[in-house]
Every structure is written in C-alpha cells, then in structure tokens.
Amino acid sequence: MAARRADIKCRPEGRDLWHALAMTKYWLGAHTKHRLQYHLVWIPKYRKRVLLGKVAVRLQELFKEAAHVNRWVIHELNIQRDHVHMLIQVEPSVSVAQVVQILKGGSSIKIRQEYPELEEFLWGDSFWADGYLRKV
C-alpha cells in the first residue's frame, strides 16, 4: 500500500493548514475523504460584455476573497468579456447552489456599488443573469 503524502499526515496550523489543504488532491474529514470540484459558468445580465479591465480585476479579487473566507479553493478562474468560468473545490457540507449564491450575490452587490457607471448597461437589482452551468 502506498504511503500517505507527508502534507496530509502533518497537522499544520493556521495559514499552513489552509495551504496544505489546497495542495492535496483529496481533502480528509473525520470519516470521509473527498474531492468535490465543480466547473461553474455564469453570465452578466443580458450577456453584456462588461467583464473587462478594472471590473474583471475586481471580480477576481472578490471571488478569491470569498473562497478564502469560506475555505474553498479556486483551482482555475477565467473571466471572459461576457462570462465567467471557475473550477472550485468545496466541502461536501456545502451545496453548489450555496457556493454560487455567495459568489454571484456578493460580487453583484460590490460591483454595483463600486462601478455605478454600469447602471446604463445593466438596469435592475442584479449584475448577474439568473442561473448557472455546473459540471462535476
């Protein structure tokens, strides 16, 4: 039987623990071993091409901050002019709908506050269109 990876065996604390979790292929729970990665895709309202420049950079910061706070790992993030692709790893206790709600809801509020000039393209209360694509 193969030996367990050293970064799984050790029990680092704080930031080192988070880094060790992010680098392992499988995450360990009390009685589980899992690797739940989801490929998510979603678009801005009316599929407007507004995810450019400062807006795209700010979205990247917001997504990474939300992932860090919730102890998720974003393995890949690609922000195109009119859609977002993300490969994210989460705990089994969190549903995909909760992940998307936190990512889209939080970023929508902040982007609309920080970039009021987008109102001429995206009227209404939300920045993102309803729905998303999820691939396991």
Side-chain angles (χ1 to χ4, degrees):
M1 184 169 179
R4 292 176 62 179
R5 289 175 49 168
D7 56 352
I8 294 175
K9 278 196 231 178
C10 68
R11 294 285 181 211
E13 296 179 6
R15 187 164 191 234
D16 293 331
L17 173 63
W18 180 238
H19 180 73
L21 283 173
M23 294 296 112
T24 59
K25 187 173 182 179
Y26 292 94
W27 291 357
L28 300 176
H31 302 284
T32 61
K33 187 174 188 178
H34 51 86
R35 182 179 173 198
L36 295 175
Q37 291 184 346
Y38 300 104
H39 177 197
L40 304 173
V41 181
W42 65 88
I43 62 173
K45 216 170 187 182
Y46 315 115
R47 201 168 183 128
K48 293 287 187 178
R49 296 178 176 189
V50 294
L51 308 179
L52 301 166
K54 293 178 184 177
V55 174
V57 170
R58 183 63 176 134
L59 281 171
Q60 186 173 10
E61 293 169 357
L62 291 169
F63 293 149
K64 288 183 178 184
E65 182 180 340
H68 180 74
V69 166
N70 290 288
R71 299 182 58 89
W72 305 329
V73 176
I74 297 176
H75 290 286
E76 293 182 31
L77 176 60
N78 187 348
I79 300 175
Q80 298 291 315
R81 292 182 294 173
D82 63 350
H83 65 281
V84 174
H85 283 270
M86 182 182 294
L87 181 64
I88 190 166
Q89 186 170 354
V90 300
E91 295 281 334
S93 60
V94 182
S95 73
V96 177
Q98 289 172 312
V99 172
V100 172
Q101 180 184 16
I102 289 168
L103 293 170
K104 286 176 62 176
S107 63
S108 177
I109 291 167
K110 291 302 254 181
I111 291 296
R112 288 172 106 35
Q113 287 173 350
E114 295 174 15
Y115 300 96
E117 64 272 15
L118 293 176
E119 287 294 322
E120 74 178 86
F121 302 108
L122 306 166
W123 52 91
D125 294 335
S126 62
F127 179 76
W128 302 108
D130 292 341
Y132 58 94
L133 168 77
R134 177 201 73 189
K135 291 172 63 177
V136 180

